[in-house]
Amino acid sequence: MNKLPKPKEIAQELNQELLNEDVVKAFQHYEALIKKHQELAESEAHIKLLQQELLQAKVHNDENYESIHKKYQEAYEAFTNHPLVVNYLNLKEEVNDLLLEVEAIINNGLAIDIDL
C-alpha cells in the first residue's frame, strides 16, 4: 500500500523548491544587502518617524501637515529610488507573482466538482 506524504512534508518540499528558485535567491540577496546598508536603515527609520508625525499632524489638524507631508514624500522617494531598493522591490513583486501562481495551481488542482 502506497502511503501518501503528510501535508507538512509536502509543504516543506514545496518551500525548499521555492527557495531554490533563482528569483527567490536574488530577492533574499537584495533583502540581506538592504539590511546591512547603514544609510538605507537610517533612511527607513526616518521615514517611519515622519509617518508617525504625519499621522499625529492629521489627527490634530496640525498646520504643519503639508510641510511634514512634503518631507515624507521626499524621504520616501529618495529611499525607493535607491538602486538596491529598486531591485529589491522588483524582485519582491516577481516572488509575489510566483507565489500567486503556485497558489492558483494548487487551488485549481484541488477544485472538486461537487455536482452530484
Side-chain angles (χ1 to χ4, degrees), residues 54-67:
L54 260 179
L55 180 61
Q56 290 301 313
K58 187 167 185 143
V59 167
H60 298 294
N61 291 323
D62 190 329
E63 61 191 40
N64 294 322
Y65 177 82
E66 289 301 321
S67 172

Side-chain angles (χ1 to χ4, degrees), residues 1 6 12-13 18 42 70 73-74 81 90 103:
M1 179 163 84
K6 295 180 182 178
Q12 287 172 336
E13 287 178 29
L18 289 169
E42 290 171 4
K70 183 178 178 184
Q73 283 297 113
E74 289 170 356
N81 287 323
N90 288 335
E103 179 185 28

